[in-house]
């Protein structure tokens, strides 16, 4: 660690903290010489591995993983009118092979509907082929014009999980939308990240969708981050790409589709929501290292302590815990600092006195320590790591609750947004009133049909026109 770099900024100054922690904890290196493209450090990539393994495990219950090409021919990309309108300003084009201009321009996928659906049209023949539930985890490219930020707004999204399902009826596709929301809830619950699920207003839905359900998290500064979306595509794409099937009566029908995606924004939220003034804190389920073992070596007991620490490391590893013995020639304090910044949830300190007492000191990254018996340490580990998880979840829920408020007038809406809150207002769902809210507050209508334990769904009167309105989330979004 570079001592000249001074201290980590306080998390109060969230954006400074975020930029700093990414390199200090070795998550992302932002020095790659292309705007909006960043490099995963090995440590950050290990976190990604565990986070995405959870996502894969959830999906693999009843989806299958596939892999489609990165390049999409122009004529396929241009087929679905709304989809093109939504993405045309964001597409990177490959126009040459070496010095030769290509006959057909090739888009770098900004998302893969137009790569996947022509193949679905070939694969799907009969109702017996349905449903299809495929997903892939790939890089996608979007020429973002808003300010790019590591893990949050990328021009190369390196970790784009996109699922694409096909169903016989609109209702079955709608049931899949619900299922995807349940999957995302479970995924984020595993990361101890509280989420707000809502239906985006029509003007903010995915280009080519019937409707979009979004998953937002509230970041430490009160801004919201969209960390997942589920889209009901209806038959928009099946019409365009001719995805039809023969139903039980021998009739040709248009298929109904959904798609849903999550990116490394999930990791941005993970880092941001759980970190503190000392650095990161990872929930044990996705921590690259669940515990670091620091031998405290004093005088003649050096070899004893090291042997015991090695034994402890072996035992815990054999039980499936991800642990590391830090044998570096550094002061223990410097090691503590090193692993605190990197968010390792538990530190096990083992010195001569602990050894004599048959104990090891377990120090939780969320606060508190516990002297535990070496003899039972493998059982105690599960409990203590569980306590860290519980503390993180409770803290994150507290944060989310404290950021939400219910607002009845446009003036107080502005004040509370300025104070870093996410507001629940009532809105009649008319575009003009929506525009008025957004213009007055420089914020976004996140959505209606809010499904959250934190938000009451009781109807009220529109904050602009006074007509009957639905509970609606309003926030300043990343
Ligand atoms: N085909 C569908 C799934 C799709 O593309 N949906 S989406 O456009 O909403 O993207 C899915 C998710 O990717 C978003 O909810 C957001 O969390 C994330 N995402 C979108 N653009 C991103 C960007 N430039 N950088 C990082 N993540 C992004
Ligand atoms: Zn209104």
């Amino acid at each position: 660690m570079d001592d000249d770099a001074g201290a980590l900024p306080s998390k109060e100054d969230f954006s400074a903290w975020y930029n700093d922690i990414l390199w200090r904890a070795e998550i992302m290196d932002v020095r790659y010489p292309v705007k909006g493209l960043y490099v995963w450090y090995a440590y950050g990539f290990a976190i990604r591995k565990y986070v995405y393994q959870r996502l894969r495990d959830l999906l693999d219950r009843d989806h299958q993983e596939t892999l489609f090409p990165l390049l999409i021919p122009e004529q396929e990309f241009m087929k679905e009118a709304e989809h093109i309108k939504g993405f045309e300003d964001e597409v990177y084009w490959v126009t040459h092979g070496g010095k030769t201009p290509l006959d057909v321009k090739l888009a770098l996928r900004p998302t893969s509907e137009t790569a996947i659906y022509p193949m679905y049209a070939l694969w799907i023949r009969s109702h017996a082929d349905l449903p299809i539930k495929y997903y892939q985890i790939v890089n996608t490219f979007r020429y973002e014009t808003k300010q790019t930020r590591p893990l949050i707004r990328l021009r190369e999204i390196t970790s784009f999980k996109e699922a694409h399902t096909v169903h016989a009826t609109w209702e079955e596709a709608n049931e899949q939308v619900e299922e995807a929301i349940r999957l995302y809830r479970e995924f984020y619950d595993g990361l101890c990240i509280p989420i707000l699920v809502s239906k985006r207003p029509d003007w903010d839905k995915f280009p080519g969708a019937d409707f979009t359900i979004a998953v937002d998290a509230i970041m430490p500064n009160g801004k919201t981050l969209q960390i997942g979306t589920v889209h009901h595509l209806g038959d928009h794409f099946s019409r365009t790409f001719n995805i039809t099937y023969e139903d039980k009566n021998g009739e040709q029908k248009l298929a109904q589709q959904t798609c849903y995606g999550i990116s490394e924004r999930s990791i941005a939220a993970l880092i941001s929501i759980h970190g503190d003034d000392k650095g990161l804190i990872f929930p044990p389920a996705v921590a690259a290292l669940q515990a670091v073992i620091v031998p405290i070596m004093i005088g003649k007991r050096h070899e004893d302590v090291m042997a015991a620490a090695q034994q402890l490391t072996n035992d815990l590893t054999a039980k499936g815990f991800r642990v590391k013995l830090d044998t570096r020639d550094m002061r223990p304090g410097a090691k503590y600092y090193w692993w605190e910044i990197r968010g390792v949830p538990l530190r096990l300190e083992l010195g001569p006195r602990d050894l004599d007492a048959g104990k090891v000191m377990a120090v939780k990254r969320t606060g508190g320590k516990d002297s535990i018996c070496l003899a039972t340490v493998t059982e105690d580990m599960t409990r203590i790591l569980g306590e860290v998880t519980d503390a993180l979840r409770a803290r994150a829920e507290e944060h989310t609750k404290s950021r939400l408020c219910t607002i009845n007038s446009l003036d107080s809406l502005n004040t509370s947004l300025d104070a870093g809150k996410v507001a629940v207002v009532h809105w009649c769902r008319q575009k003009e009133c929506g525009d008025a809210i957004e213009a007055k507050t420089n914020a976004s209508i996140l959505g209606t049909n809010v499904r959250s334990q934190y938000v009451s769904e009781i109807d009220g009167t529109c904050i602009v026109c006074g007509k009957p309105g639905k509970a609606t989330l309003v926030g300043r979004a990343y």
Side-chain angles (χ1 to χ4, degrees):
M1 180 57 54
D2 179 357
D3 278 340
D4 298 342
L8 175 68
S10 154
K11 207 177 159 197
E12 292 285 313
D13 185 0
F14 173 66
S15 131
W17 179 92
Y18 184 77
N19 290 332
D20 228 65
I21 199 64
L22 289 176
W23 66 263
R24 281 180 197 267
E26 295 182 300
I27 305 295
M28 303 298 297
D29 196 326
V30 302
R31 292 172 297 180
Y32 193 75
V34 180
K35 183 178 156 65
L37 275 55
Y38 308 96
V39 182
W40 287 96
Y41 281 110
Y43 185 69
F45 201 68
I47 301 295
R48 176 193 186 273
K49 179 171 82 173
Y50 293 110
V51 170
Y52 276 71
Q53 191 53 52
R54 292 187 71 87
L55 198 49
R56 277 199 166 87
D57 288 346
L58 282 174
L59 290 164
D60 286 346
R61 288 176 189 164
D62 76 336
H63 296 60
Q64 288 173 288
E65 187 168 1
T66 63
L67 188 56
F68 283 77
L70 165 64
L71 299 176
I72 305 173
E74 181 179 21
Q75 61 274 31
E76 298 297 349
F77 189 77
M78 294 305 200
K79 269 184 186 160
E80 212 288 331
E82 283 180 42
H83 194 66
I84 310 161
K85 255 197 275 153
F87 280 106
E88 65 187 350
D89 293 338
E90 291 186 9
V91 178
Y92 285 90
W93 289 102
V94 176
T95 57
H96 285 74
K99 290 187 180 135
T100 315
L102 297 178
D103 294 339
V104 177
K105 279 203 294 181
L106 299 168
L108 294 187
R109 59 180 165 221
T111 168
S112 302
E113 284 72 13
T114 57
I116 296 176
Y117 299 169
M119 301 308 296
Y120 277 2
L122 300 175
W123 294 346
I124 294 163
R125 286 282 156 268
S126 131
H127 62 91
D129 299 326
L130 302 177
I132 282 186
K133 301 183 189 182
Y134 289 159
Y135 74 94
Q136 62 177 5
I137 299 177
V138 294
N139 57 347
T140 61
F141 293 82
R142 295 185 182 183
Y143 185 75
E144 295 278 359
T145 46
K146 278 201 197 172
Q147 189 186 353
T148 54
R149 292 175 203 269
L151 301 175
I152 290 178
R153 179 164 283 104
L154 307 148
R155 286 185 170 176
E156 181 185 3
I157 310 172
T158 69
S159 315
F160 194 70
K161 188 288 296 169
E162 47 179 329
H164 295 269
T165 71
V166 191
H167 308 267
T169 64
W170 195 94
E171 289 70 26
E172 280 172 42
N174 201 43
E175 184 40 48
Q176 189 60 33
V177 166
E178 294 299 320
E179 178 60 22
I181 296 167
R182 283 192 288 273
L183 282 172
Y184 284 1
R185 275 194 196 285
E186 193 173 340
F187 173 65
Y188 280 114
D189 187 55
L191 304 183
C192 307
I193 296 175
I195 54 171
L196 304 169
V197 176
S198 67
K199 186 174 177 186
R200 286 275 187 266
D202 255 5
W203 62 83
D204 205 17
K205 68 184 183 190
F206 183 69
D210 270 3
F211 65 84
T212 290
I213 306 287
V215 174
D216 294 288
I218 306 180
M219 297 289 265
N221 56 2
K223 278 199 187 186
T224 60
L225 183 65
Q226 175 184 297
I227 52 174
T229 31
V230 182
H231 315 290
H232 196 314
L233 301 177
D235 59 15
H236 295 228
F237 287 90
S238 60
R239 265 178 209 285
T240 312
F241 290 97
N242 205 21
I243 307 175
T244 59
Y245 69 95
E246 191 179 281
D247 76 4
K248 291 197 175 103
N249 308 317
E251 267 179 66
Q252 287 296 314
K253 291 260 169 75
L254 283 172
Q256 299 285 329
Q257 296 180 271
T258 82
C259 67
Y260 31 104
I262 276 186
S263 77
E264 55 256 64
R265 279 188 187 178
S266 55
I267 297 173
L270 180 75
I271 285 173
S272 305
I273 288 172
H274 299 312
D276 66 10
D277 284 350
K278 289 192 201 164
L280 299 181
I281 311 181
F282 287 108
V286 293
L289 292 173
Q290 295 168 317
V292 59
I293 297 160
V294 181
I296 316 289
M297 287 169 308
I298 311 169
K300 281 186 272 178
R301 304 293 302 282
H302 187 117
E303 275 172 30
D304 281 2
V305 168
M306 197 53 115
Q310 186 62 61
Q311 186 60 50
L312 177 61
T313 308
N314 296 349
D315 291 349
L316 290 172
T317 305
K319 289 281 181 189
F321 294 106
R322 299 190 288 273
V323 300
K324 184 183 173 77
L325 174 59
D326 189 347
T327 58
R328 289 174 301 170
D329 183 18
M330 281 163 68
R331 285 178 300 104
K335 290 182 184 177
Y336 299 171
Y337 178 78
W338 173 278
W339 295 113
E340 274 169 2
I341 282 194
R342 284 165 179 72
V344 177
L346 193 66
R347 178 170 78 230
L348 298 173
E349 304 170 9
L350 187 64
R353 246 176 280 147
D354 303 296
L355 192 54
D356 290 340
K359 297 250 170 154
V360 59
M361 185 60 82
V363 183
K364 291 182 274 190
R365 180 64 181 77
T366 43
K369 43 172 114 178
D370 199 350
S371 175
I372 56 180
C373 286
L374 276 169
T376 58
V377 66
T378 51
E379 293 97 82
D380 288 335
M381 272 289 277
T382 308
R383 171 182 57 81
I384 295 179
L385 289 176
E387 288 168 8
V388 174
T389 304
D390 293 345
L392 288 176
R393 182 174 285 119
R395 222 184 257 187
E397 283 182 357
E398 201 41 55
H399 153 74
T400 299
K401 278 189 215 152
S402 76
R403 289 287 176 172
L404 282 164
C405 62
T406 304
I407 295 294
N408 302 314
S409 81
L410 273 178
D411 283 332
S412 51
L413 177 58
N414 226 348
T415 318
S416 53
L417 290 165
D418 284 345
K421 301 268 186 184
V422 175
V424 183
V425 303
H426 289 95
W427 169 49
C428 63
R429 292 191 281 185
Q430 298 297 310
K431 177 92 168 57
E432 305 81 74
C433 290
D435 287 346
I437 294 172
E438 294 193 340
K440 178 93 204 263
T441 58
N442 189 27
S444 308
I445 292 191
L446 299 174
T448 51
N449 298 49
V450 188
R451 307 181 217 181
S452 163
Q453 62 201 42
Y454 312 109
V455 176
S456 140
E457 266 233 72
I458 299 168
D459 293 352
T461 55
C462 175
I463 191 173
V464 181
C465 70
K467 293 191 186 126
K470 294 278 175 198
T472 303
L473 284 171
V474 179
R476 300 237 166 92
Y478 268 102

